[in-house]
């Protein structure tokens, strides 16, 4: 086993004044306007303006209308301005617990406490522990004949190279081959920074929004004042989910939408980073992230201050753990690392201790627990970690190269992989709630019957967990064949699919036409053909309804108000699918009846059908006895 490398950084004083301190200022309220859940209330309207429609849609799974509360309201600006006028520099704003962090001369703290709108103040000079990672010293180079062609192959069949092991351990590969790669899921990541502009594997990633909480700008890769290694840790963690580089590194969910937040300042180790983490969680939640993951952990404070003791990690009391729990209450699925302080017991760090966190430990490619992986329980006796995945020898990028790769180790590497797996599950089951998600994983995990504080529930089998939960309908594929459009979908469950119907409506129609989809025996593929003339030269609306022998019924898209659009003009094939598996031959629709019963004896029947070319033939056997 490779020895872990502990990254030790020099302490840098942030202010030129030795008596400046960072303090949290907790406010008594959010201003003079009383809260009311009506559109005539100004505070309610201000709050609605900062919570995105994506966040409202996600919250609707777990909250009652109007889906926002007084806790979501912004801080009252005049309170902040008053302290700024006293010489305070605003560093962070936290809505859910109604406080702001300021850097200010220590002599003014008592004066701040005397302000009528201030509830209390608290120093923030606690220490953040960035999870250390070990990595091989040599880059594993993979040079393609044309880098541009490697980038543009993102929607071809995936070729995993050395990343096969981490995808295989979670049983991800078959899901990718059916076109389930994270489409439509918003995944947020918080870390020390992200360099996504250099390495070719990340140049086509769907990065929607970024924010740097250290410098309060939108740049999450290294800036002038950053140390050289600032964005390295976040980059290698991000790549385990998002990278695409054929024959080398395929991320767990490369088609997801990504939101990246920089919350760690590696010039020093101060408690303000935990507040930035909490602010980052609030930011991700408000802009509509479905999932958050952060390979960061907090435990030790500066030597002059009281440190956390293990009993403090009770699942709800730390700054980061409290923020994570509040995000989960609003419908976000949140992941945290167990830590790299194993093999001793009770070595979990926060926010991995949080009651609502999906806490991830590390194993190697063979499923053997890593010696460095932290153990539970948390401070209140709750079993942690929750799950395990590959954090030892994980294949990822060398972040400052264009095409270099490394093997890195740490629960930092394991955690984002399971977050990526959550993105695959939400692709097919967007309605699931955070606590349902955990149960879905437990249903197909290696240690589900005997969870403990070392293995948790073990290694989850992602494909099996999807099959156990419900019928899964993968995103649709459609291809142009002569004068028709062929629709192909992968549909599966842990029970045989008994019927699949596609409902079709062009822009001129008032109602949907039901079309039965044919099952390609021996596979999870279902297909149907629609004449091009039925489209009337414009995109058509479609949805699918599938039934299985367990009596389950599933609609895709899941929301009854939503539909997929099918164009008569161009093909759409989902990423990860081998196009050679999409049937392009004709379907024989001739109706012939054989009567009486052609099965005379025995259990076998041989039917010969003569055709002029390769085609699909549908045979129905009816027992009228």
């Amino acid at each position: 086993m490779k020895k872990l490398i502990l990254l030790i950084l020099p302490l840098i004083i942030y202010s030129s004044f030795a008596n400046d301190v960072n303090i949290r200022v907790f406010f008594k309220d959010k201003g003079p306007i009383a809260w009311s859940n009506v559109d005539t209330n100004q505070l309610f309207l201000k709050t609605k303006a900062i919570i995105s429609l994506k966040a409202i849609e996600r919250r609707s799974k777990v909250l009652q209308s109007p889906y926002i509360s007084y806790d979501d309201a912004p801080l009252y600006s005049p309170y902040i301005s008053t302290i700024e006028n006293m010489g305070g520099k605003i560093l962070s704003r936290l809505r859910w617990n109604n406080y702001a962090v300021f850097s200010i001369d220590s002599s003014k703290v008592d004066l701040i406490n005397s302000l009528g709108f201030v509830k209390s103040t608290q120093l923030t000079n606690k220490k953040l522990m960035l999870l250390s990672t070990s990595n091989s010293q040599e880059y594993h180079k993979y040079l393609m004949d044309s880098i541009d062609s490697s980038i543009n192959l993102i929607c071809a069949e995936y070729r995993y190279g050395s990343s096969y092991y981490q995808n295989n351990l979670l049983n991800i590969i078959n899901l990718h081959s059916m076109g389930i790669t994270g489409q439509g899921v918003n995944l947020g990541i918080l870390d020390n920074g992200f360099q996504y502009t250099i390495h070719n594997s990340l140049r086509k990633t769907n990065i929607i929004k970024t924010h740097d909480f250290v410098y309060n700008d939108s740049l999450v890769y290294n800036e002038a004042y950053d140390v050289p290694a600032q964005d390295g840790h976040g980059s290698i963690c991000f790549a385990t989910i998002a990278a695409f580089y054929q024959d080398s590194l395929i991320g767990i969910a490369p088609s997801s939408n990504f939101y990246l937040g920089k919350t760690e300042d590696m010039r020093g180790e101060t408690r303000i980073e935990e507040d930035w983490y909490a602010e980052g969680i609030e930011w991700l939640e408000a802009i509509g992230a479905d999932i958050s993951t952060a390979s960061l952990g907090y435990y030790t404070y500066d030597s002059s201050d009281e440190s956390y003791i293990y009993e403090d990690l009770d699942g709800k009391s730390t700054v980061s753990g409290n923020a994570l729990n509040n995000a989960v209450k609003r419908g976000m699925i949140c992941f945290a690392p167990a830590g790299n302080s194993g093999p001793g017991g009770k070595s979990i760090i926060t926010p991995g201790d949080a009651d609502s966190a999906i806490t991830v430990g590390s194993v190697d490619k063979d499923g053997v627990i890593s010696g460095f992986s932290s153990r539970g329980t948390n401070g209140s006796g709750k079993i942690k970690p929750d799950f395990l995945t590959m954090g030892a020898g994980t294949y990822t990028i060398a972040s400052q190269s264009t095409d270099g790769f490394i093997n890195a180790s740490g629960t930092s590497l394991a955690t984002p992989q399971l977050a990526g797996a959550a993105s695959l599950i939400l692709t097919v089951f967007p309605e699931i709630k955070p606590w349902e998600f955990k149960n879905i994983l437990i249903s197909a995990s290696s240690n589900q019957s005997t969870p403990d504080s070392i293995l948790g529930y073990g290694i989850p089998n992602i494909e099996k967990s999807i099959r156990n939960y419900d019928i899964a309908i993968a995103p649709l594929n459609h291809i142009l064949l002569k004068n028709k459009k062929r629709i192909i979908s992968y549909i599966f469950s842990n029970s045989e699919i008994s019927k699949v119907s596609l409902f079709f409506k062009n822009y001129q129609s008032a109602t949907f036409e039901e079309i039965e989809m044919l099952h390609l025996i021996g596979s999870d593929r279902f297909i149907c053909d629609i004449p091009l003339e039925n489209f009337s030269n414009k995109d058509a609306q479609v949805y699918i309804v599938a039934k299985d022998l367990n009596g389950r019924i599933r609609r895709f898209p899941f929301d009854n108000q939503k539909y997929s659009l099918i164009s008569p003009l161009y093909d759409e094939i989902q990423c990860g699918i081998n196009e050679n598996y999409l049937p392009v031959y004709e379907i024989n629709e001739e109706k012939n009846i054989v009567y009486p019963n052609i099965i005379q004896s025995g259990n076998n029947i041989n039917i010969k059908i003569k055709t002029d070319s390769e085609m699909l033939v549908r045979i129905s056997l009816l027992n009228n006895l």
Side-chain angles (χ1 to χ4, degrees):
M1 181 179 296
K2 296 180 177 67
K3 182 179 180 180
L4 292 180
I5 300 172
L6 180 62
L7 186 61
I8 302 175
L9 299 170
L11 181 64
I12 302 251
I13 303 299
Y14 287 88
S15 172
S16 59
F17 301 98
N19 59 345
D20 274 10
V21 293
N22 292 340
I23 62 169
R24 298 188 190 97
V25 180
F26 293 87
F27 303 115
K28 290 182 178 179
D29 55 45
K30 295 190 175 183
I33 301 176
W35 176 267
S36 178
N37 293 333
V38 294
D39 282 338
T40 56
N41 182 273
Q42 292 302 308
L43 185 56
F44 180 76
L45 290 174
K46 286 183 179 180
T47 306
K48 282 182 68 176
I50 62 176
I51 307 299
S52 71
L53 292 177
K54 291 180 181 294
I56 293 296
E57 182 179 2
R58 188 203 58 246
R59 288 183 178 200
S60 68
K61 296 189 291 186
V62 296
L63 300 176
Q64 298 296 316
S65 178
Y67 312 122
I68 61 174
S69 69
Y70 185 70
D71 288 346
D72 296 312
L75 304 187
Y76 188 52
S77 294
Y79 294 165
I80 293 173
S81 297
T82 299
I83 298 174
E84 287 179 322
N85 290 335
M86 297 168 61
K89 178 183 178 182
I90 185 73
L91 300 177
S92 186
R93 305 166 192 253
L94 285 302
R95 291 178 289 109
W96 293 340
N97 286 309
N98 197 23
Y99 74 88
V101 181
F102 296 88
S103 175
I104 196 166
D105 190 297
S106 59
S107 66
K108 297 182 179 180
V109 173
D110 288 341
L111 182 58
I112 291 174
N113 277 312
S114 70
L115 297 172
F117 56 80
V118 172
K119 182 178 181 180
S120 63
T121 61
Q122 182 184 61
L123 293 172
T124 65
N125 55 350
K126 299 173 184 178
K127 183 180 178 182
L128 173 145
M129 180 177 60
L130 177 66
L131 295 190
S132 59
T133 59
S134 67
N135 58 267
S136 61
Q137 298 302 308
E138 297 296 327
Y139 286 175
H140 300 283
K141 284 279 195 174
Y142 178 77
L143 299 177
M144 301 199 62
D145 294 334
S146 168
I147 290 178
D148 286 339
S149 67
S150 73
I151 295 170
N152 293 331
L153 283 174
I154 193 165
C155 281
E157 180 184 16
Y158 290 168
R159 305 191 303 271
Y160 293 88
S162 296
S163 66
Y164 168 84
Y165 299 103
Q166 57 222 49
N167 281 276
N168 182 63
L169 187 69
L170 289 171
N171 199 15
I172 294 294
I173 292 174
N174 194 43
L175 297 175
H176 285 173
S177 73
M178 293 188 284
I180 301 170
T181 58
Q183 302 94 315
V185 180
N186 299 324
L187 201 157
I189 309 176
L190 304 176
D191 214 297
N192 67 344
F194 307 88
Q195 178 48 263
Y196 56 85
T197 66
I198 296 176
H199 203 282
N200 287 313
S201 69
L202 297 176
R203 286 174 56 194
K204 291 292 185 179
T205 306
N206 300 323
I207 297 173
I208 307 302
K209 197 166 187 177
T210 61
H211 190 77
D212 181 346
F213 293 88
V214 179
Y215 299 131
N216 194 29
D217 60 33
S218 62
L219 302 179
V220 293
Y221 41 78
N222 279 7
E223 299 185 60
Y225 296 105
D226 287 319
V227 299
Q230 173 72 47
D231 58 18
H233 185 269
S235 300
I236 65 174
C237 294
F238 176 44
T240 66
I241 314 174
F244 176 81
Y245 204 124
Q246 290 284 37
D247 300 301
S248 192
L249 177 59
I250 303 295
I252 301 293
S255 297
S256 300
N257 304 318
F258 294 100
Y259 301 86
L260 307 179
K262 174 183 172 183
T263 63
E264 160 73 353
D265 188 343
M266 294 182 66
R267 296 175 300 172
E269 300 181 24
T270 59
R271 179 63 186 277
I272 183 64
E273 285 122 331
E274 191 172 2
D275 296 280
W276 282 329
Y277 169 93
E279 188 178 7
I281 286 284
E282 289 190 8
W283 172 72
L284 289 174
E285 193 283 324
I287 60 179
D290 300 300
I291 300 163
S292 77
T293 181
S295 294
L296 302 171
Y298 312 82
Y299 189 75
T300 307
Y301 302 174
D302 290 339
S303 59
S304 60
D305 299 284
E306 182 184 10
S307 295
Y308 280 134
I309 60 174
Y310 204 75
E311 286 71 21
D312 294 328
L313 275 62
D314 61 2
K316 59 185 179 182
S317 298
T318 69
V319 172
S320 53
N322 178 268
L324 186 150
N325 287 338
N326 276 318
V328 173
K329 288 178 184 177
R330 291 163 171 81
M332 199 159 71
I333 301 171
C334 296
F335 292 83
N340 296 339
S341 300
K346 295 187 176 181
S347 51
I348 292 289
I349 54 178
T350 195
D353 71 303
D355 291 335
S356 299
I358 305 292
T359 307
V360 186
S362 169
V363 294
D364 64 16
K365 65 182 179 64
D366 297 316
V368 178
I369 185 75
S370 303
F372 60 77
S373 187
S374 291
R375 274 65 165 170
T377 59
N378 73 3
S380 64
K382 183 181 180 70
I383 286 180
K384 293 288 181 176
D386 295 291
F387 302 101
L388 305 169
T389 192
M390 186 174 165
T394 305
Y395 203 64
T396 187
I397 65 169
S399 61
Q400 296 302 315
S401 72
T402 58
D403 54 9
F405 298 89
I406 60 174
N407 290 106
S409 296
T411 56
S412 289
L413 281 302
T415 304
Q417 291 178 63
L418 200 56
S423 187
L424 303 187
I425 293 174
L426 287 182
T427 297
V428 289
F429 303 136
E431 78 282 6
I432 65 170
K433 304 172 179 64
W435 47 92
E436 292 174 331
F437 172 79
K438 185 175 180 180
N439 290 332
I440 289 171
L441 292 189
I442 290 172
S443 76
S445 289
S446 60
N447 198 39
Q448 61 177 289
S449 58
T450 56
D452 58 40
S453 61
I454 298 174
L455 305 177
Y457 291 94
I459 304 166
N461 181 322
I462 304 304
E463 182 183 348
K464 185 177 179 182
S465 69
I466 288 175
R467 290 181 181 271
N468 288 345
Y469 179 70
D470 202 348
I471 299 171
I473 304 176
L476 303 184
N477 306 277
H478 50 92
I479 55 178
L480 189 61
L481 297 176
K482 293 183 179 180
N483 296 319
K484 65 186 72 172
K485 204 65 187 289
R486 175 158 294 173
I487 316 297
I488 307 106
S489 182
Y490 288 78
I491 304 174
F492 57 96
S493 78
N494 63 2
S495 177
E496 182 180 346
I497 303 297
S498 58
K499 182 180 180 181
V500 177
S501 295
L502 180 137
F503 291 82
F504 175 91
K505 181 169 81 71
N506 68 26
Y507 78 101
Q508 296 175 324
S509 301
T511 59
F512 282 86
E513 172 191 3
E514 182 177 0
I515 304 168
E516 184 178 355
M517 298 190 76
L518 303 182
H519 184 201
L520 302 186
I521 303 301
S523 76
D524 294 313
R525 292 167 292 165
F526 289 77
I527 72 170
C528 68
D529 290 342
I530 301 172
L532 284 181
E533 61 188 30
N534 291 10
F535 286 82
S536 300
N537 296 318
K538 290 191 177 182
D539 291 358
Q541 294 179 342
V542 302
Y543 67 92
I544 288 177
V545 175
K547 302 177 182 179
D548 71 9
L549 293 181
N550 281 338
R552 298 183 295 193
I553 301 175
R554 184 81 186 176
R555 185 190 192 276
F556 177 87
F558 178 77
D559 188 333
N560 287 333
Q561 303 302 313
K562 294 183 178 180
Y563 311 94
S564 295
L565 291 179
I566 301 295
S567 170
L569 303 177
Y570 62 86
D571 295 350
E572 181 175 351
I573 300 174
Q574 301 298 327
C575 301
I577 288 179
N578 185 336
E579 294 185 26
N580 293 328
Y581 292 162
L582 298 180
V584 296
Y585 36 78
E586 293 295 320
I587 300 176
N588 185 352
E589 292 290 354
E590 292 185 12
K591 292 179 172 58
N592 297 295
I593 298 175
V594 179
Y595 182 87
N597 192 336
I598 58 176
I599 302 178
Q600 301 297 326
S601 62
N603 296 320
N604 298 320
I605 181 172
N606 183 19
I607 300 176
K608 295 183 179 180
I609 300 174
K610 178 182 281 189
T611 65
D612 295 328
S613 61
E614 184 180 31
M615 65 178 60
L616 261 177
V617 178
R618 175 166 50 181
I619 298 175
S620 299
L621 297 179
L622 304 178
N623 185 352
N624 293 324
L625 296 179

